[in-house]
Amino acid sequence: MDAFSSMTRADEIEAAARSLALHVRRAKAFVVLTGAGMSTECGIPDFRSPGSPWLANPPMPFDRFVASEDARREAWRRKFTLDDHHKGALPGEGHHALARLVNDGVVDTVITQNIDNMHQTAGVPADKVIELHGNGTYARCLECGRRHELSFCRRMLEEENCAPRCEACGGIVKAATISFGQAMPQAEMQRAMLAAGNADLILAIGSSLLVYPAAGLPLVARENGAVFLILNRGETGLDDDAHERFDIEAGPVLARLAWHLSRRVN
Ligand code: NAD
């Protein structure tokens, strides 16, 4: 029974990879949109799956964060609890496969909802990654924009019992992520809209496609004539809008896709 199940899974992975490869070979401008499901194979939990530590440590809305020192301390405590949960996490096979596809010129742009820096760690050049929700591996002053390292923020919280303040101007320091209620980063949104609008193939990977405006990007691409594909375990908010959907673990499929595309067989 085990052998039978694993055969079935391997067959499904292979079928999805082959089908994706056909689409990719036809494409001239291939853009990828990634979500939290891209990183679950690295041990970084997604937001909505049952038992997610995000549910016990929900993100602090922006207006509450800026309103009080108590809220900021609590927000930093939750962030470090979540960070400790996946301390030392490394990119998975999906990240490595995608990095290979970008570096081989197959994927033009990776638009990500993720804040974990895993695409860059896997080798995607920073200028090929558009981070729509920021980056949680460092912090910035909300007043002057100066970058602060998390080690400094943690020391302030744990040794001084204070939410960190900017070393340059004394402003509020916040993880460099986009919180609920915080404005989307304009330059990144513009670049993402442009990339989606110019794509002739867009693949959403590991995203529930419920969080807007990110989830609107495949629709922009599709309205401009692109083929829209979904590679996600479970349902998404845009299943009915996709041309084709692969309900399966992303990492092994991407690894096989990269393998197929590395062979010069048409
Ligand atoms: P989500 O949690 O809403 O959805 C993730 C989707 O991925 C789910 O449908 C899930 O079933 C699927 N999934 C999980 N593991 C998978 C796998 N191995 N292969 C294929 N699919 C898999 O995530 P979202 O739509 O990206 O939105 C959540 C928000 O929370 C994002 O805006 C993001 O900023 C933030 N977030 C980021 C991270 C991260 O940076 N790694 C982690 C959690 C949440």
Side-chain angles (χ1 to χ4, degrees):
M1 180 65 187
D2 277 343
F4 178 73
S5 325
S6 73
M7 267 293 284
T8 304
R9 186 173 170 273
D11 288 347
E12 281 176 5
I13 290 167
E14 190 57 23
R18 281 175 183 270
S19 186
L20 281 168
L22 285 178
H23 286 287
V24 175
R25 285 197 175 105
R26 279 187 218 120
K28 293 195 170 56
F30 176 23
V31 167
V32 162
L33 170 68
T34 65
M38 182 83 213
S39 296
T40 52
E41 67 171 351
C42 323
I44 304 176
D46 63 9
F47 198 72
R48 288 176 177 77
S49 294
S52 170
W54 286 78
L55 302 176
N57 297 277
M60 184 74 68
F62 187 67
D63 58 348
R64 284 189 54 206
F65 183 88
V66 291
S68 83
E69 166 78 13
D70 275 357
R72 287 193 287 280
R73 273 203 303 260
E74 176 60 14
W76 279 106
R77 187 198 64 72
R78 290 180 195 174
K79 176 181 169 45
F80 290 135
T81 302
L82 283 167
D83 283 1
D84 287 348
H85 192 276
H86 52 77
K87 204 166 158 183
L90 293 169
E93 66 176 335
H95 291 106
H96 288 297
L98 214 46
R100 185 167 160 193
L101 294 178
V102 172
N103 289 314
D104 286 351
V106 175
V107 171
D108 288 347
T109 307
V110 177
I111 304 170
T112 188
Q113 295 170 271
N114 293 343
I115 56 172
D116 56 23
N117 206 59
M118 285 288 162
H119 290 303
Q120 296 92 322
T121 306
V124 179
D127 65 351
K128 293 279 185 183
V129 183
I130 303 175
E131 294 177 317
L132 293 180
H133 296 165
N135 188 311
T137 64
Y138 59 92
R140 280 204 191 279
C141 171
L142 291 177
E143 311 297 324
C144 71
R146 178 171 165 161
R147 176 176 166 139
H148 289 70
E149 300 311 319
L150 294 184
S151 53
F152 161 79
C153 301
R154 195 184 270 254
R155 208 165 50 245
M156 293 300 289
L157 185 76
E158 292 177 356
E159 291 175 17
E160 313 286 333
N161 195 29
C162 300
R165 286 276 177 178
C166 180
E167 290 181 294
C169 75
I172 292 172
V173 170
K174 181 182 169 297
T177 50
I178 306 300
S179 300
F180 292 110
Q182 190 173 5
M184 291 294 284
Q186 273 189 13
E188 281 78 1
M189 267 316 290
Q190 276 172 8
R191 281 179 62 210
M193 288 289 284
L194 199 65
N198 288 333
D200 61 4
L201 176 63
I202 187 159
L203 172 64
I205 307 171
S207 173
S208 58
L209 296 173
L210 293 171
V211 180
Y212 283 79
L217 292 166
L219 300 178
V220 169
R222 193 185 161 141
E223 274 161 25
N224 282 281
V227 172
F228 168 30
L229 308 175
I230 295 175
L231 173 58
N232 191 66
R233 192 182 65 202
E235 292 178 358
T236 80
L238 296 182
D239 286 351
D240 292 342
D241 298 283
H243 290 98
E244 201 169 346
R245 194 167 85 81
F246 305 92
D247 185 345
I248 190 167
E249 304 290 306
V253 173
L254 291 170
R256 286 302 292 168
L257 173 65
W259 183 83
H260 280 293
L261 294 173
S262 70
R263 301 172 78 223
R264 304 212 171 272
V265 178
N266 287 305

